[in-house]
Every structure is written in C-alpha cells, then in structure tokens.
Amino acid sequence: MFEFKKTSHLLKRRMVVRAAVAALFVIALLSVLGARLWYLQVVRYEGLAAQADQNRIAVLPLPPRRGEVFDRNGEVLARNYRDYILTVTPAYAQRDLEALLNELSEVVYISSRDKKRFLTTAGQSSRYRPLLLRNNVNEIEASWFAAQAYRFPGVNLEARWVREYPQRASAAPVIGYVGRISPEDEERLEEDGRLGNYRGTSVIGKKGIELTWEEVLHGQTGLEEVEITAAGRPVRVLNRIEPVAGMDLRLSIDMGLQHLAEQLFEQNRGALVAIEPATGEVLAFVSAPSFDPNLFIDGIDFENWRKLNES
C-alpha cells in the first residue's frame, strides 16, 4: 500500500514538472513572438511602412518631348512623332526570357534580330532595368498586346516620342543625330548629376547640333505616382508632375542655299561653308558624302553600318 502511494506521488510530481516545463516553453515562444511583433510594429515601423508604400505606389517617369530644330526660314530639320515600344523588366518576367519571347511572338511580331539584341543586352544589364524589346509597334499590334498583357508580367507597352529627320542626308553633318543611351552615356550623365532627368528616356544626342545642344533640347522629365495592385496593375493616378518639353532651335542655315550647295557635290567628295560676311552666320554647311541620320535613331543595322564605313 505504501509503495502504491509513493508511485502515485512520483507520477503526479512528474506530471506537474512536465506541465510546468510545457508552460514555460509556451511562455517563451509567446515572448519571442511578442518581442518580434514589437520590433516590427515599433522599431521598424517607419521603414516597413515606406516599403509597403513603395509596393503599393509606383513612380513612373514621363519623358519630355524633345525640342525641334528649324532652319532660318522655319523649315523643319528635326521633329518628333509618337509610336509604341515594348519593354521587358527581366526581374518581373517570372519565366525564362527565351520562353517569354517565344510566347510573346504569338501576339506581337518580334524579329530574330530583336530577340538576339534583347538577350545580349539582358545579359549585360541589371535585372531590374526595363530593356527595349521592340520599337515601332503600330496601333493594331498595340491593341492585340493590350488585350493579352495579363499573360506577360514584366512586359510593358509604352508610348514614346521618336526623332525624325525629314531632310534625310541633307545637312546631316550639321544636325547630327540621336541614338540609344549607352553605358558610357549613363556614366557621363551620372558624373554630371543629370542621370535622373533621363529616366524613361531611351535616346540622347550623339553628334552635331543634337549633341552640342542636348541639355536645351532634352527638356525636363515628369513623374506620375500610380497606385497598383499586388499583381502590378494600375488602379488610379495619385499625383502627376507634367514633363517640360525641350526648347526648339532655329539655326542660321538656309536650306534653299544648302540644297543648292549640295548639288555641286552630288558625285564628288569635299566640303563647303557659306558664311554671311556681315554677321558671321553660317548659311550652308556641306560635307560630302553625307549620311541619313534616321538610320541611327534605334541603332543602325550591320549592313548600313558596313556601307557607311566602306563608302
């Protein structure tokens, strides 16, 4: 009888000890959880709240319209028109890039040259940087993609201003041309503290007037704050700062005299500068043979580049 009571007492004691240990374990877990909640809600509140706003609010750059260029009589030398482009942000694509391009090709035409150029650029750039996939997307293709856009996260359809040189090769050495912003251009802009003003812009002045007067022609980039869903779909515009268009330039060149001077060099090499003696203004500037600056806007292809080099 005595042994039975002793065994019963030991079992009760063990149960109490186990219950106490379990209670202490639960209290410890609750304490850790409570400390973590306090840390997140109090200590890191401001940082996490800012991150949540960033996830909910997208800040989109609004590139400005580039300033146009005219001769002394108002004839257009460089102007802009609107078209659409497709860009891809690899980090948000949620699949292999080659598989994405193959699937996207069923909706919008993508040439083998565009694919090769995009994959090469993607291998050399940040995964979070939007990369140009296709330019000159027409309105029909844009509507087809817009209807299927939900299938392609990370792919965006954007409207843009495109540079055009209606005089083609005439006065091209004077006017110059714009081209895609290269890593070297980005480094230079960052050194000058102007890189932020080129967010959303894909081209920059490379030669001639386009390069010399780049700051004046480019304008000021605007911003748009958009509320987005978890899937990245825009809900509403919260704030908008309109872009400021670049300033137009009027040159001293007289295109009538320019065409006349260029006819003298039609089949010859050489250069000519016609200057107004009274003012020193340049009325005509010829460098023959010339080139078509429209070829450089979205990147010149190999065949045309070879022809220019071997001319």
Side-chain angles (χ1 to χ4, degrees), residues 30-298:
L30 291 175
S31 298
V32 171
L33 180 61
R36 182 62 178 171
L37 288 174
W38 180 84
Y39 175 74
L40 294 175
Q41 294 291 329
V42 178
V43 178
R44 296 198 57 193
Y45 169 77
E46 292 185 3
L48 293 175
Q51 289 183 17
D53 283 339
Q54 290 175 0
N55 291 333
R56 183 177 62 89
I57 301 173
V59 179
L60 306 176
L62 300 175
R65 180 187 64 81
R66 192 173 180 86
E68 299 186 337
V69 182
F70 304 88
D71 81 338
R72 67 188 302 115
N73 301 311
E75 191 166 351
V76 179
L77 307 181
R79 62 190 177 196
N80 311 287
Y81 67 91
R82 280 286 212 181
D83 82 343
Y84 296 95
I85 61 172
L86 280 177
T87 63
V88 179
T89 306
Y92 304 138
Q94 300 180 2
R95 73 191 84 174
D96 177 73
L97 290 180
E98 289 196 29
L100 171 65
L101 297 184
N102 291 334
E103 188 176 347
L104 188 59
S105 298
E106 300 174 1
V107 180
V108 178
Y109 173 74
I110 302 174
S111 69
S112 58
R113 177 172 173 263
D114 288 333
K115 290 181 181 179
K116 182 178 180 180
R117 181 181 60 198
F118 171 78
L119 293 173
T120 300
T121 305
Q124 301 171 348
S125 305
S126 167
R127 287 178 50 80
Y128 293 91
R129 177 185 176 185
L131 303 176
L132 177 66
L133 173 59
R134 160 83 194 278
N135 52 33
N136 297 323
V137 177
N138 59 46
E139 293 186 359
I140 295 177
E141 290 178 308
S143 63
W144 286 346
F145 173 79
Q148 301 289 324
Y150 68 92
R151 295 170 48 196
F152 306 103
V155 182
N156 295 307
L157 179 70
E158 302 173 7
R160 65 162 184 171
W161 289 107
V162 182
R163 201 61 157 173
E164 182 183 35
Y165 301 100
Q167 304 294 332
R168 302 183 71 82
S170 184
V174 178
I175 304 165
Y177 56 86
V178 297
R180 290 178 184 167
I181 297 177
S182 65
E184 292 76 16
D185 292 324
E186 290 183 344
E187 290 179 7
R188 176 168 49 82
L189 290 171
E190 189 168 12
E191 290 176 359
D192 295 341
R194 297 190 289 135
L195 184 59
N197 194 35
Y198 282 78
R199 299 299 184 193
T201 301
S202 59
V203 298
I204 191 171
K206 296 286 188 177
K207 295 290 182 181
I209 291 294
E210 294 279 27
L211 172 61
T212 306
W213 291 86
E214 170 61 29
E215 286 193 54
V216 173
L217 290 167
H218 174 67
Q220 188 70 33
T221 298
L223 293 174
E224 188 174 65
E225 293 183 356
V226 181
E227 184 177 357
I228 59 175
T229 65
R233 298 292 177 190
V235 177
R236 61 191 175 105
V237 176
L238 302 176
N239 187 34
R240 182 182 175 95
I241 300 176
E242 294 293 337
V244 179
M247 294 180 61
D248 296 338
L249 293 181
R250 186 178 292 270
L251 308 183
S252 62
I253 294 290
D254 184 324
M255 287 308 297
L257 184 59
Q258 178 74 22
H259 291 315
L260 180 62
E262 287 172 345
Q263 289 174 9
L264 301 176
F265 289 86
E266 191 167 350
Q267 300 296 330
N268 301 296
R269 296 174 179 269
L272 177 149
V273 180
I275 299 176
E276 170 59 57
T279 61
E281 293 180 333
V282 176
L283 303 179
F285 186 106
V286 179
S287 177
S290 188
F291 61 92
D292 185 353
N294 292 293
L295 298 173
F296 292 88
I297 295 171
D298 284 317

